[in-house]
């Protein structure tokens, strides 16, 4: 097998995005457009990946270096931008002679690995292989011109094409595979004597024909795979195409998605058997859903593990960030719950509406059903944490832990001022502010004693003078 070197063109301006951010850094499914292309190169096991930068290079290069620290990305600067041929010329000093070069674009994110593998197969280490597609409206694209026997003998850019050529529906996708030892001398022969006064990469076709090198076209029919992003509208269209592709793959594995048009995965989601996902859910980062998990409508779920049988009711927000979140088997979360980094819930925990949990462990069967905050807390089995109660974990400078031992019942509207421990089986009376640890089994009440004054007369308005 010939080694593979991938070249990604990403120097263009992206004027129609009307954005201060370079086009290739705009995100599709939470990931920069050009990162999709880099990841495709990685899946192809490319020996090297060279990104051609120009417009916004000072933003693109550091962003990609950071995001691909484990891989050795190379950059070739193209200043100014004189066309696609001129772009690839910049990579010549970085390209070994013994490989096959695949040319991709940083703004074409959805090309499938098996499509490129098929292109490499037709290239066969010795031919010029072009990825092509038939478009009903080929306006603006380079036309694939074939001789009477059907052999490709030129790509003619739209602006240079005559009427007969413009009538051709087969277009060049912008993707080719070519041996480096053929490509390099062809690049040296490019000129800009054309309608756009650009150095066209597509002119290598005529040099191949002149040199007797076979030019082979690999034609596909899935337009999304070669679609570029030039505007926010096209970005949104490709986002939907990508999400639908993911949704279909999950459904093929048995995941029940109520509406695949309202399903978004921006990261990596794994689903066990019999998972059900209602509409408008967004999954980000690494998310794992166990057997039979049900996700209600309008949930945002990031960086967490949800174990078998758990139910996440509508409008729940979960984000484990770097620490992660675990929801144990059979737990019931939401509606309107918020689980933050380090929330570790064991089996059968109930977290209800307007309850926030951060950096806290809740043992089996613990419940906080309404309007509560548990931060930096260790909560024992079967604890019931009442409505409106909170752990005051922050003294303005440092965070402290609250320990609530098994079978404790915390009434409504309590403040547990950390560091503090509520002994096992204890009860905290409603409205208490607890600042000292309590004994196991004790009832603790810390609030003003009730005073009731009989026949109390409310003040009355003075008559106007
Ligand atoms: C190119 C092809 C055309 C093909 C079309 C598919 C040429 C001459 N034409 O058209 O046959 O049908 O793609 O979309 O190659 N870029 C640079 N530096 C430059 C110019 C472009 O890096 O100097 C990058 C762009 O950022 C983009 C890619 O190359 O990622 C393609 O450029 P674009 O202008 O979109 O393609 P066309 O030249 O219109
Ligand atoms: Ca152009």
């Amino acid at each position: 097998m010939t080694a593979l070197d991938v070249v990604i063109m990403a120097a263009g301006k992206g004027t129609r995005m009307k954005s201060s951010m370079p086009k290739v850094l705009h995100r599709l499914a939470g990931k920069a457009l050009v990162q999709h292309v880099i990841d495709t190169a990685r899946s192809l096991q490319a020996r090297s990946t060279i990104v051609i930068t120009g417009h916004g290079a000072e933003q693109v290069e550091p962003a990609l270096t950071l995001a691909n620290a484990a891989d050795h990305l190379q950059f070739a600067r193209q200043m100014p931008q004189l066309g696609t041929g001129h772009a690839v010329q910049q990579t010549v000093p970085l390209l070994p002679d013994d490989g096959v070069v695949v040319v991709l674009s940083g703004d074409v994110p959805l090309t499938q690995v098996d499509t490129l593998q098929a292109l490499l197969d037709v290239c066969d280490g010795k031919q010029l292989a072009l990825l092509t597609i038939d478009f009903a409206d080929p306006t603006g694209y380079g036309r694939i011109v074939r001789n009477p026997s059907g052999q490709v003998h030129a790509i003619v850019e739209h602006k240079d094409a005559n009427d007969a050529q413009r009538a051709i529906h087969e277009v060049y996708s912008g993707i080719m595979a070519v041996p480096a030892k053929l490509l390099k001398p062809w690049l040296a022969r490019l000129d800009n004597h054309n309608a756009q006064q650009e150095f066209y990469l597509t002119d290598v076709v005529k040099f191949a024909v002149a040199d007797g090198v076979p030019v082979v076209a690999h034609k596909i029919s899935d337009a999304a795979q070669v679609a570029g992003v030039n505007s926010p509208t096209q970005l949104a269209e490709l986002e939907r195409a990508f999400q639908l592709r993911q949704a279909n793959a999950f459904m093929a594995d048995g995941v029940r998605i109520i509406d695949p048009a309202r399903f978004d995965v921006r990261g990596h989601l794994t689903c066990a058997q019999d998972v059900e996902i209602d509409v408008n859910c967004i999954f980000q980062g690494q998310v794992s859903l166990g057997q039979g998990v049900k996700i209600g409508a309008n949930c945002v779920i990031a960086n967490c593990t949800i174990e078998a049988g758990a139910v996440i009711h509508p409008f729940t927000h979960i984000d484990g960030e770097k620490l992660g979140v675990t929801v144990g088997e059979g737990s019931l979360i939401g509606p309107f719950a918020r689980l933050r980094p380090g929330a570790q819930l064991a089996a059968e925990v109930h977290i209800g509406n307007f309850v926030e949990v951060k950096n806290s462990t809740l043992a089996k069967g613990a419940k906080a059903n309404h309007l509560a905050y548990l931060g930096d807390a260790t909560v024992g089995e079967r604890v019931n944490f009442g409505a409106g109660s909170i752990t005051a974990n922050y003294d303005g400078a440092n965070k402290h832990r609250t320990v609530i031992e098994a079978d404790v019942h915390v009434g409504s509207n309590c403040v547990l001022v950390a560091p503090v421990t509520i002994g096992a089986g204890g009860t905290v009376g409603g409205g208490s502010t607890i600042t000292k640890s309590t004994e196991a089994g004790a009832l603790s009440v810390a609030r003003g004693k009730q005073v009731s004054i009989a026949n109390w007369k409310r003040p009355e308005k003075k008559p106007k003078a």
Side-chain angles (χ1 to χ4, degrees), residues 211-245:
D211 291 354
V213 174
V215 182
V216 285
H218 175 63
K219 199 198 277 189
I220 61 167
S221 54
D222 177 8
Q225 290 199 44
V226 297
V229 171
N230 295 300
S231 64
T233 301
Q234 289 172 342
L235 181 60
E237 284 167 1
L238 286 197
E239 176 80 34
R240 272 353 295 161
F242 180 83
Q243 295 298 350
L244 193 57
R245 193 199 265 179

Side-chain angles (χ1 to χ4, degrees), residues 335-411:
F336 300 100
R338 180 169 185 213
L339 303 183
R340 293 177 52 207
Q344 302 293 338
L345 316 186
E348 287 154 48
V349 165
H350 293 188
I351 299 295
N353 42 221
F354 308 106
V355 174
E356 173 182 348
V357 182
K358 186 220 74 173
N359 194 33
S360 293
T361 60
L362 279 74
K364 186 173 178 189
K367 294 181 174 64
N369 273 324
H370 332 265
L371 302 163
Y373 173 60
L374 284 163
D376 303 300
T378 303
V379 180
E381 294 190 357
R382 297 171 301 278
V383 163
N384 194 320
F385 197 74
S389 292
I390 67 156
T391 56
N393 54 327
Y394 185 54
D395 61 14
N398 296 298
K399 300 247 168 93
H400 302 282
R401 276 201 95 70
T402 300
V403 177
I404 306 171
E405 292 180 350
D407 299 300
V408 163
H409 184 106
V410 177

Side-chain angles (χ1 to χ4, degrees), residues 8-14 23-24 52-54 78 80-87 104-108 140-143 155-158 171-175 196 198-203 226 228 230:
I8 302 172
M9 296 187 292
K13 187 153 186 209
K23 177 167 75 173
V24 294
I52 303 165
T53 58
Q78 185 201 12
Q81 292 81 36
L82 304 178
T84 52
H86 178 252
L104 303 172
S105 291
D107 57 358
V108 179
Y141 291 90
R143 305 301 204 281
I155 298 175
V156 179
E157 292 303 308
H158 182 88
V171 304
Y172 172 54
S173 67
I175 295 172
Q196 301 183 80
E198 283 181 12
F199 294 88
Y200 291 165
L201 179 61
T202 45
D203 280 349
V226 297
N230 295 300

Side-chain angles (χ1 to χ4, degrees), residues 155-311:
I155 298 175
V156 179
E157 292 303 308
H158 182 88
K159 286 183 179 148
D160 300 290
N162 60 35
D163 286 347
Q165 290 163 337
R166 285 188 180 183
I168 296 170
H169 289 276
E170 187 182 6
V171 304
Y172 172 54
S173 67
I175 295 172
M176 66 170 65
V178 55
K181 65 178 186 304
L182 296 175
L183 176 65
K184 286 184 178 184
W186 293 340
L187 290 173
R189 283 154 72 182
L190 294 177
D191 63 49
N192 63 352
H193 304 152
N194 53 53
Q196 301 183 80
Q197 295 182 309
E198 283 181 12
F199 294 88
Y200 291 165
L201 179 61
T202 45
D203 280 349
V204 300
V205 173
K206 69 184 184 207
F207 301 141
V209 170
D211 291 354
V213 174
V215 182
V216 285
H218 175 63
K219 199 198 277 189
I220 61 167
S221 54
D222 177 8
Q225 290 199 44
V226 297
V229 171
N230 295 300
S231 64
T233 301
Q234 289 172 342
L235 181 60
E237 284 167 1
L238 286 197
E239 176 80 34
R240 272 353 295 161
F242 180 83
Q243 295 298 350
L244 193 57
R245 193 199 265 179
Q246 295 194 121
N248 285 333
F250 281 113
M251 291 189 293
D253 282 345
V255 178
R256 296 193 287 280
I257 297 173
I258 303 281
D259 183 359
R262 288 178 288 170
F263 169 79
D264 290 83
V265 178
R266 303 171 188 162
H268 192 250
L269 172 68
T270 58
C271 296
Q273 200 171 35
D274 285 317
V275 165
E276 287 183 21
I277 300 170
D278 210 330
V279 301
N280 286 333
C281 292
I282 301 175
F283 299 90
Q284 295 172 325
Q286 299 283 331
V287 176
S288 159
L289 306 180
Q291 171 126 17
V293 164
K294 289 186 172 63
I295 309 289
N298 301 299
C299 292
V300 176
I301 298 181
N303 302 304
C304 81
T305 298
I306 299 178
E307 291 173 349
V311 178

